[in-house]
Amino acid sequence: MTTTRPANPPAVPGPPFRLPDIPQKHPDDMTSVKYLHETGQSHHLSQYLGNRDTTLVTAERYVMPVPAYVANESRYPDLLVAFNVDPAAYEARNGYVVSEQGKAPDFILEVASRRTASDDLEGKKDYYERLGVDEYWLFDSAGEFYRFTLAGYRLEENGYQPTEVREIRPGVMQGYSAALNLNLRAEDGYLGWHDPATGEHIPTLQSQTARVQELEAELRRLREGG
């Protein structure tokens, strides 16, 4: 008698690959929270750049060349900006995968801390250069760990080349980011984003609220005068 062997059951797909969460930060490494997120600077930038369907303004997740995690070689930035990408894929992978997004991030910023400064200056700089990140910036509130407050690099044919950063008035350093079309300005220990056309800081909740209050006051004066 001939028996029929049962067909192999179809393979059950496994869960999609996700990058691990970054390690819990040491208290000494919380400088990005203090100088970018608590001050609202990352939010201001996200609001200014707009188009959240294709623009990423994010932080604290791994940036990888391919969907694979390599311990001790992977890096996660304090701030990442990428245009014309897929934010949904970023969320699905729990990080930025260059091969899937079709390009490296346009802009990465690191904020100095006692424990990460040497890696920011060497290991991360080399890593982002190899990935093809267009611009890499470094900010140190007091110049304590980097020995400078602000520096930038732009990717050229022969690797990262320094971006001009100059002192526009005593103690205030500024450099132009072509990737963002904004000036980065280090002033009074904090970092800000300034419109190169006007010199003004990009809109913030405080500035927008103040503007509304000014308009309301002007409207009241006109009504009372009428």
Side-chain angles (χ1 to χ4, degrees):
M1 182 176 66
T2 303
T3 58
T4 303
R5 300 180 61 185
N8 293 327
V12 177
F17 173 81
R18 277 180 62 86
L19 288 161
D21 293 335
I22 65 170
Q24 184 174 357
K25 284 197 167 188
H26 187 278
D28 289 348
D29 300 339
M30 298 299 286
T31 49
S32 62
V33 174
K34 179 178 180 180
Y35 295 108
L36 286 178
H37 310 313
E38 286 183 351
T39 61
Q41 290 297 354
S42 53
H43 176 71
H44 301 155
L45 187 61
S46 177
Q47 293 293 108
Y48 179 80
L49 295 176
N51 201 356
R52 296 187 181 183
D53 290 338
T54 59
T55 300
L56 272 173
V57 180
T58 187
E60 312 295 2
R61 295 190 193 182
Y62 287 109
V63 181
M64 306 297 301
V66 295
Y69 171 70
V70 182
N72 302 320
E73 292 186 15
S74 306
R75 300 292 195 277
Y76 47 91
D78 290 328
L79 183 66
L80 176 154
V81 179
F83 301 103
N84 300 313
V85 293
D86 184 358
Y90 175 83
E91 292 295 331
R93 292 298 193 196
N94 196 37
Y96 193 102
V97 179
V98 174
S99 64
E100 293 186 340
Q101 296 289 357
K103 55 175 286 190
D106 296 277
F107 175 99
I108 279 179
L109 171 76
E110 297 289 356
V111 179
S113 71
R114 186 181 307 278
R115 289 161 50 89
T116 66
S118 60
D119 190 38
D120 294 346
L121 293 167
E122 298 177 7
K124 288 185 179 180
K125 180 172 175 283
D126 293 342
Y127 183 75
Y128 297 141
E129 183 181 65
R130 292 197 307 272
L131 287 184
V133 176
D134 284 342
E135 288 187 2
Y136 179 51
W137 287 81
L138 298 150
F139 169 70
D140 185 344
S141 172
E144 179 182 3
F145 306 116
Y146 293 154
R147 306 304 179 192
F148 55 79
T149 56
L150 184 66
Y153 298 89
R154 184 155 182 85
L155 191 62
E156 305 291 350
E157 289 185 0
N158 54 344
Y160 275 146
Q161 299 301 315
T163 296
E164 180 184 15
V165 174
R166 60 189 181 91
E167 191 172 34
I168 60 173
R169 56 180 179 270
V172 181
M173 306 302 295
Q174 178 171 285
Y176 174 70
S177 164
L180 304 181
N181 189 28
L182 289 171
N183 286 326
L184 278 69
R185 185 180 299 176
E187 182 175 10
D188 297 330
Y190 286 89
L191 180 69
W193 320 102
H194 292 255
D195 186 335
T198 65
E200 298 295 323
H201 196 285
I202 63 175
T204 66
L205 176 61
Q206 292 81 0
S207 68
Q208 294 294 85
T209 300
R211 179 58 178 158
V212 169
Q213 291 172 344
E214 290 174 2
L215 292 173
E216 289 175 343
E218 179 64 22
L219 182 59
R220 285 195 299 271
R221 284 194 293 270
L222 291 173
R223 286 174 175 171
E224 292 169 0

